[in-house]
Amino acid sequence: MTLDQKRQQIDQIDQQIVELLEQRFQIGKSIGEYKKIHHLPILNTNREYQVLERINKIVRNKRNSKQIQRIFRTIMNQTKTIE
Ligand SMILES: O=C(O)C(=O)C[C@]1(C(=O)O)C=C[C@@H](O)C=C1
């Protein structure tokens, strides 16, 4: 595969990531609205721990674990700013 083809693959994957992130943020926003109505705090440390645990189980190549955990911490932090 040429460099250009590899970059095209990355571009396609990036598009999927953006679409999924937008879906996730949208759901986060609706969770935020629910929490506001029910006077619940935005931060749920227990749930964040569960999410990271689950992600860790899904990761196939354990050498990627640390990076993926960091990405999901960032995703959850950004979700909280949207909530
Ligand atoms: O599950 C929730 O309660 C959410 O608000 C979503 C979410 C997440 O991004 O996964 C974000 C903030 C909370 O601290 C926990 C998890």
Side-chain angles (χ1 to χ4, degrees), residues 24 31 35 42-44 47-48 76 79-80 83:
R24 197 185 192 284
I31 289 179
K35 285 181 174 178
I42 295 293
L43 175 66
N44 185 330
R47 173 63 186 159
E48 291 196 12
M76 288 193 283
T79 302
K80 280 177 278 186
E83 287 186 19

Side-chain angles (χ1 to χ4, degrees), residues 32-76:
E33 283 156 13
Y34 177 93
K35 285 181 174 178
K36 199 176 171 191
I37 292 165
H38 294 88
H39 307 286
L40 295 168
I42 295 293
L43 175 66
N44 185 330
T45 314
N46 239 7
R47 173 63 186 159
E48 291 196 12
Y49 181 78
Q50 283 171 10
V51 171
L52 293 175
E53 279 269 297
R54 237 191 102 252
I55 295 300
N56 214 27
K57 284 185 191 145
I58 296 169
V59 175
R60 284 197 218 142
N61 186 344
K62 294 299 166 195
R63 271 179 296 180
N64 296 329
S65 283
K66 207 169 127 192
Q67 285 80 2
I68 292 176
Q69 289 279 314
R70 280 188 182 157
I71 289 167
F72 273 87
R73 278 207 188 93
T74 302
I75 290 173
M76 288 193 283

Side-chain angles (χ1 to χ4, degrees), residues 10-49:
I10 281 191
D11 285 347
Q12 281 172 14
I13 291 168
D14 287 351
Q15 190 176 330
Q16 290 174 38
I17 292 173
V18 169
E19 283 169 15
L20 292 173
L21 279 175
E22 289 200 298
Q23 279 180 40
R24 197 185 192 284
F25 287 155
Q26 191 59 48
I27 295 168
K29 204 166 174 253
S30 71
I31 289 179
E33 283 156 13
Y34 177 93
K35 285 181 174 178
K36 199 176 171 191
I37 292 165
H38 294 88
H39 307 286
L40 295 168
I42 295 293
L43 175 66
N44 185 330
T45 314
N46 239 7
R47 173 63 186 159
E48 291 196 12
Y49 181 78

